[in-house]
Amino acid sequence: KKNTTEKLQQSPKDGNVIAYYVQDSIGTKFNFYREIDSMLKSKEREFERQLRSKYENYQKYEENIRKKMDAGEITGYQLEDIQQQAMRKQEAISTFERQRGGELQRESLNYQNALMNKISEAGKEFSQENGIDMLLFYQKGGQITYISDAFDVTDAFVDFLNKREEAIMSGVETEMEESEDDDSQLNGIGLNK
């Protein structure tokens, strides 16, 4: 806090105190963000593994059918049933991909929204504690083309977030539970499928 206050006192002033943090630092230095990101990536890898396994099993099924057809082990009567079964297997894979993929997207979006809300609230507290009138986030390619390093409070803000990690974590979990309740209510009336 002392370094942040000293830095802001040395920065040019026009009556308002402006500061910024580098957005990418949240993803690389804020412990809870990294944990959520790691958890979501793990779920995504598991989904991709399951999907790949389903496609591989279907390819084995098709290959087995081709071998039986080449060997003359499948009659014309059986062919229609086999084609219907193949269509059912393809539909099951598509349904899994669509449903589970959608669930993962919703979960990721819900986590991001909940976490960004908590970071925003923490930004307000951080600003009030440090006498900052406007706290911006800077990101390459964003709306701010240039801002002097004199206004950079990234390390102090990330340290502030990490010290309040437990409170932020519980707030995110509460928002996620509320979001899941909202999703299940929407699913119940057919709006979130």
Side-chain angles (χ1 to χ4, degrees):
K1 184 174 178 183
K2 183 179 176 192
N3 289 340
T4 304
T5 305
E6 286 174 6
K7 190 173 197 176
L8 291 172
Q9 287 172 349
Q10 294 171 4
S11 64
K13 293 185 181 184
D14 62 355
N16 293 318
V17 177
I18 299 172
Y20 76 91
Y21 65 92
V22 178
Q23 176 72 25
D24 294 344
S25 295
I26 300 296
T28 58
K29 296 179 181 178
F30 179 33
N31 297 331
F32 183 50
Y33 186 95
R34 288 194 322 240
E35 288 172 25
I36 288 176
D37 189 52
S38 176
M39 181 257 312
L40 291 172
K41 284 180 180 173
S42 176
K43 286 184 176 188
E44 187 177 321
R45 282 191 301 272
E46 177 60 19
F47 165 68
E48 289 170 357
R49 186 198 64 73
Q50 289 175 341
L51 187 60
R52 190 172 42 254
S53 174
K54 289 178 183 300
Y55 277 116
E56 288 170 359
N57 286 339
Y58 179 76
Q59 287 173 341
K60 288 177 186 174
Y61 169 77
E62 272 190 336
E63 188 177 307
N64 187 33
I65 295 300
R66 259 188 249 116
K67 285 179 183 176
K68 287 182 177 183
M69 286 178 73
D70 291 344
E73 296 174 8
I74 295 177
T75 65
Y77 296 111
Q78 293 172 317
L79 193 55
E80 188 176 324
D81 288 341
I82 290 171
Q83 288 172 336
Q84 287 177 354
Q85 187 174 3
M87 286 177 58
R88 284 192 299 274
K89 287 180 179 287
Q90 289 173 338
E91 283 179 25
I93 293 171
S94 291
T95 299
F96 172 79
E97 185 173 15
R98 198 173 45 254
Q99 287 178 344
R100 185 64 184 129
E103 288 170 9
L104 284 174
Q105 283 181 327
R106 279 190 300 280
E107 182 179 13
S108 179
L109 183 62
N110 289 342
Y111 264 115
Q112 288 173 352
N113 287 336
L115 187 56
M116 290 304 115
N117 289 341
K118 293 301 160 193
I119 289 173
S120 181
E121 289 172 18
K124 182 178 178 181
E125 288 176 42
F126 175 80
S127 297
Q128 290 170 343
E129 284 184 19
N130 290 285
I132 299 170
D133 296 307
M134 184 183 300
L135 180 63
L136 308 168
F137 72 81
Y138 174 77
Q139 183 176 14
K140 285 187 178 183
Q143 294 180 346
I144 300 171
T145 304
Y146 170 78
I147 190 166
S148 170
D149 288 344
F151 299 101
D152 186 356
V153 295
T154 301
D155 291 337
F157 184 55
V158 171
D159 187 47
F160 180 87
L161 292 173
N162 282 325
K163 286 179 182 173
R164 285 161 179 72
E165 182 176 14
E166 197 170 303
I168 292 171
M169 211 177 341
S170 69
V172 167
E173 290 169 0
T174 301
E175 279 195 41
M176 286 299 298
E177 289 169 6
E178 290 170 1
S179 179
E180 287 172 5
D181 289 344
D182 291 345
D183 283 348
S184 66
Q185 288 174 356
L186 290 175
N187 280 334
I189 58 174
L191 293 177
N192 197 21
K193 291 186 178 177

